[in-house]
Amino acid sequence: MTPQDFWRNAKVGVIGGGSWGTVLANSISRNCREVRVWLRDEDSVRAINSTRMNTHYLPGLTLADKIHAYSSMERVFEGGLNAVIWALPSAACRERARVVAKLFGGDEIVLHATKGIEPGTLKRISEVLTEELPCQRIGVISGPNLADEVARGDPAATVVASRFSEVCEVGQILLSGERFRVYPARDVIGVEWAGTLKNVLAIASGALDAMKLGWNARAMLITLGLAEMVRLGVFLGAQESTFLGLAGMGDLLATCSSPLSRNYRVGFRLAQGDPLEKVLSELGSTAEGVRTTQSIWAFASQQKISMPITQGVHRLLVGDISAHDILYDLMAHG
């Protein structure tokens, strides 16, 4: 039996039914026997199972019949799973992993799709899951993957990174489609930090666009922002080349250029003068960059790593200075 034959008969769980979790579930359903999605909201579970749509996040996407939604984690794991896709916000990962750990057999392959870090500790999500779950074969999915575009079937690509080659192979088998390419990687640290840090720069990019500052300013932001990503990433053990690939520059370009990005929308609204609390309450989903900027800036300051754009985004989020004044400071002092 080939690996493809095995996974065509496999059961896969998706923990988290937000936009990206829903898109991943639909993509995976093409390449396995059954997909079980866990959502906290019972109304969303009933809607998915009865209408084949997750109308709260992706009202235009019709879900495959192979997908079944549950609000009970025990039902998701009933009879065992071959692989688990972890698609929860970073702040919820450790607590949820502790609760669900007893349901794992230990031999499942786990791929997380969370572009963030644990608040306060700066631990990557693969580190959190390794500490809390009985599984060793863990990897990360990351790249320029705006959920709405992938849901429409627009061409896209992603990276699956793990220190286990088998995890990368399974990620390619489960996720690959006619319009979705999957590339393997070994630099887990770089892929996870690239996905985290680009969210901070997406907030800055949204603010720039709200001020109508043009392509020169965007190019400056992306170029100098990428340098910040590399400085911190390499300090933390990442490979510099990772930031020049899909998981780094690719994701940065997509997220900093599209209003589909939640972090971009946060920066755009803040630069227009809306208070952060209002922006987040009306966003309807998690903007990881808001949660991680403070932790990243505090760490960079402590370690004396130059990250002036990250500092500016932090000041914008706490509301002690306007976007225009932040830009003035950056231009005047570098």
Side-chain angles (χ1 to χ4, degrees), residues 10 15 17 49 55 88 99 110 169 175 208-209 214 230 257 267 276 282:
I15 310 302
N49 292 331
T55 54
L88 293 176
V99 171
V110 179
E169 181 184 13
L175 292 168
L208 279 184
D209 282 1
V230 170
S257 305
L276 180 61
E282 295 176 357

Side-chain angles (χ1 to χ4, degrees), residues 245-295:
L246 275 174
M249 177 60 86
D251 200 4
L252 183 62
L253 287 171
T255 312
C256 286
S257 305
S258 174
L260 293 175
S261 161
R262 295 184 292 271
N263 294 286
Y264 174 100
R265 296 203 299 270
V266 168
F268 193 94
R269 295 272 307 272
L270 290 176
Q272 291 181 318
D274 291 336
L276 180 61
E277 294 76 12
K278 179 182 179 183
V279 174
L280 295 180
S281 67
E282 295 176 357
L283 192 62
S285 53
T286 301
E288 287 282 359
V290 175
R291 289 175 172 168
T292 57
T293 297
Q294 181 176 1
S295 296

Side-chain angles (χ1 to χ4, degrees), residues 288-319:
E288 287 282 359
V290 175
R291 289 175 172 168
T292 57
T293 297
Q294 181 176 1
S295 296
I296 292 170
W297 170 239
F299 179 80
S301 300
Q302 182 183 42
Q303 299 298 327
K304 302 189 185 312
I305 301 170
S306 176
M307 300 186 75
I309 297 174
T310 301
Q311 180 187 20
V313 172
H314 171 64
R315 297 183 69 188
L316 180 65
L317 290 171
V318 299

